[in-house]
């Protein structure tokens, strides 16, 4: 697909997204007013640690859900970080050179975090390279081919050149383009509060993407988070969300906090057929064969799978009972409407 064809596809998607824009679009002005000055050359050398950790959280940046997972690594040496960011936003230096230098100098400064900071500082010039934008560019068939041995900064510069061409053709900045690319990957799902469907028997999420987004955004409050964390690597703090394999994209990849264990999580919005077990086994098998590709994971790690549904079935129970290291979970959505005391006392 050519850039022109990609622009045509994105123009159609944009017309749909504009009918109900995601939070990242609606809150763009507020977020940029708050954090864009933080990453300007005359400010990055002195900004306080708490302001950076604020920015890394989705509830503040309204755009990226996983950046906060790297905050402790990023802020371990604030003087080193400030120096690296001064280099990153220095427009007098070659983009590829400074990006390569910064990525190699700060622990936790992966492609998603680095490019999100660049976008926030200069939304007309720089786009985000993370799993979601990469998947979108590949779907649109405009992903660049890198030369063998190209440094990270050279690869980012090529990715950014494609993003910039799309931005120019669509006449939108990179903030809006990133939201649009996310919309394309998420199959017409905007980044909004999960939609819940009510029925006489139960409440369930309308789409599996809603369930996934809810779990990711609220992971610290989910029971599984006591023992498990969403997988991340130095390049992308969201690497475990729709983890890329050669046989599909499982919804979430987890690593155990204390044991050498990895868990593939597959989500189904409602009660699922036993065919979901075969899908989950496929992902578990692939991860087991590619443990050496996972950062900070032992090649001896045990790989297991968990299927999360709104309700089980007899067929599903029998299918799972025949396979070791597969577990079924059921989710429940509870919505309670209360009358404030100030109203009920009237």
């Amino acid at each position: 697909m050519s850039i022109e064809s990609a622009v045509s596809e994105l123009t159609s998607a944009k017309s749909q997204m504009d009918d109900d824009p995601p939070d990242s679009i609606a809150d763009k002005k507020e977020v940029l007013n708050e954090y864009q000055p933080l990453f300007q050359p005359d400010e990055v050398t002195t900004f306080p640690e708490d302001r950076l950790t604020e920015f890394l959280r989705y509830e503040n940046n309204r755009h990226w859900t996983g950046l906060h997972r790297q905050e402790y690594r990023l802020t371990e040496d604030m003087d080193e970080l400030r120096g690296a960011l001064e280099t990153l936003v220095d427009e007098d230096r070659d983009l590829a050179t400074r990006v390569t230098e910064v990525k190699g100098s700060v622990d936790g400064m992966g492609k998603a975090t680095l490019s999100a900071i660049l976008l926030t500082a200069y939304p007309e010039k720089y786009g985000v390279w993370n799993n979601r934008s990469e998947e979108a560019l590949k779907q649109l068939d405009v992903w660049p081919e890198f030369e063998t041995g190209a440094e990270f900064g050279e690869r980012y510069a090529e990715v950014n050149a494609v993003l910039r061409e799309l931005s120019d053709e669509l006449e939108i900045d990179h903030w809006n383009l990133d939201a649009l690319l996310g919309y394309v990957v998420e199959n017409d799902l905007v980044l909004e509060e999960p939609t819940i469907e009510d029925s006489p028997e139960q409440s369930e999420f309308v789409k599996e993407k809603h369930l996934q987004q809810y779990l990711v955004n609220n992971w610290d409050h989910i029971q599984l988070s006591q023992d498990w964390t969403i997988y991340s690597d130095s390049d992308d703090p969201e690497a475990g969300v729709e983890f890329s394999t050669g046989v599909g994209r499982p919804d979430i990849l987890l690593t155990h906090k204390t044991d050498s264990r990895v868990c593939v999580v597959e989500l189904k919005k409602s009660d699922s057929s036993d065919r979901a077990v075969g899908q989950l086994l496929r992902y578990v098998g692939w991860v087991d064969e590619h443990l050496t590709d996972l950062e900070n994971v032992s090649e001896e790690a045990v790989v297991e799978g968990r299927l999360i549904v709104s309700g089980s079935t007899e067929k599903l129970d029998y299918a799972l009972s025949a396979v070791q290291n597969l577990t079924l979970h059921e989710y429940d959505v509870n919505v309670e409407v209360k009358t404030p005391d100030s109203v009920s006392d009237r």
Side-chain angles (χ1 to χ4, degrees):
M1 186 183 297
S2 64
I3 286 290
E4 291 76 14
S5 298
V7 168
S8 177
E9 293 286 338
L10 290 173
T11 299
S12 176
K14 182 176 180 299
S15 67
Q16 299 176 52
M17 187 181 73
D18 287 346
D19 290 336
D20 189 10
D23 291 342
S24 57
I25 299 293
D27 298 337
K28 178 178 74 171
K29 183 176 180 180
E30 179 183 350
V31 174
L32 289 180
N33 284 343
E34 184 70 21
Y35 295 106
Q36 188 175 21
L38 186 70
F39 298 116
Q40 298 307 304
D42 56 346
E43 295 291 334
V44 292
T45 57
T46 58
F47 73 83
E49 178 179 334
D50 61 344
R51 293 285 284 141
L52 177 67
T53 57
E54 281 179 19
F55 167 77
L56 294 175
R57 297 189 173 276
Y58 172 77
E59 59 264 29
N60 298 319
N61 67 58
R62 308 303 295 161
H63 210 79
W64 305 286
T65 58
L67 299 184
H68 69 281
R69 299 190 192 111
Q70 302 291 351
E71 67 180 74
Y72 297 112
R73 297 167 67 189
L74 285 170
T75 58
E76 186 175 4
D77 187 334
M78 284 301 299
D79 289 336
E80 180 182 66
L81 177 61
R82 293 184 184 105
L85 291 181
E86 184 180 17
T87 297
L88 181 64
V89 299
D90 184 356
E91 290 286 86
D92 292 330
R93 295 190 56 184
D94 172 68
L95 174 62
T97 302
R98 56 187 153 110
V99 166
T100 296
E101 180 180 331
V102 169
K103 186 178 183 295
S105 66
V106 178
D107 188 27
M109 184 63 77
K111 63 188 181 188
T113 304
L114 180 153
S115 55
I117 290 172
L118 275 175
L119 184 153
T120 304
Y122 305 109
E124 301 291 340
K125 294 184 178 181
Y126 303 113
V128 163
W129 179 7
N130 56 23
N131 281 357
R132 192 169 58 185
S133 63
E134 179 174 333
E135 180 69 16
L137 294 184
K138 288 178 177 178
Q139 285 185 19
L140 294 165
D141 199 22
V142 290
W143 182 250
E145 294 186 9
F146 306 127
E147 290 188 10
T148 303
E151 293 187 324
F152 172 77
E154 295 171 325
R155 287 181 281 137
Y156 173 73
E158 290 190 53
V159 172
N160 191 61
V162 174
L163 293 172
R164 192 157 186 174
E165 189 168 2
L166 293 174
S167 171
D168 290 343
E169 291 293 330
L170 292 165
E171 298 183 342
I172 58 177
D173 65 11
H174 286 283
W175 184 281
N176 287 27
L177 177 62
D178 191 52
L180 180 58
L181 294 177
Y183 184 91
V184 169
V185 169
E186 293 177 7
N187 298 316
D188 297 334
L189 172 64
V190 295
L191 296 178
E192 59 184 8
E193 286 301 307
T195 302
I196 297 170
E197 185 177 77
D198 293 319
S199 69
E201 295 82 15
Q202 63 184 15
S203 293
E204 62 187 34
F205 288 89
V206 174
K207 296 184 179 180
E208 288 159 18
K209 285 288 185 182
H210 287 123
L211 174 57
Q212 180 198 62
Q213 195 68 47
Y214 179 84
L215 291 175
V216 171
N217 288 346
N218 297 277
W219 184 252
D220 292 342
H221 305 289
I222 304 299
Q223 186 178 12
L224 282 172
S225 70
Q226 296 176 11
D227 298 313
W228 298 88
T229 186
I230 297 175
Y231 173 74
S232 64
D233 60 31
S234 58
D235 276 342
D236 193 347
E238 295 185 288
V241 180
E242 292 192 13
F243 183 75
S244 181
T245 77
V247 292
R249 300 177 70 87
D251 290 301
I252 304 175
L253 185 69
L254 306 175
T255 53
H256 201 273
K257 291 182 177 180
T258 58
D259 301 337
S260 185
R261 294 161 62 191
V262 178
C263 181
V264 179
V265 176
E266 188 62 18
L267 310 172
K268 299 300 176 185
K269 72 178 182 66
S270 58
D271 52 338
S272 178
S273 74
D274 50 2
R275 287 178 295 179
V277 177
Q279 182 184 12
L280 181 57
L281 280 172
R282 182 197 336 144
Y283 296 147
V284 168
W286 189 96
V287 172
D288 190 49
E289 287 292 323
H290 295 82
L291 283 171
T292 55
D293 296 339
L294 301 181
E295 195 172 292
N296 299 319
V297 173
S298 168
E299 61 181 306
E300 304 299 325
V302 174
V303 183
E304 56 194 81
R306 294 174 188 254
L307 186 64
I308 300 180
V309 300
S310 66
S312 184
T313 63
E314 185 178 25
K315 289 182 179 180
L316 188 57
D317 290 338
Y318 276 123
L320 284 165
S321 69
V323 184
Q324 290 186 340
N325 294 331
L326 292 193
T327 306
L328 180 69
H329 296 274
E330 296 183 22
Y331 75 83
D332 183 35
V333 178
N334 295 306
V335 178
E336 185 176 358
V337 179
K338 296 182 178 181
T339 303
D341 293 339
S342 57
V343 175
S344 59
D345 291 341
R346 291 176 183 174

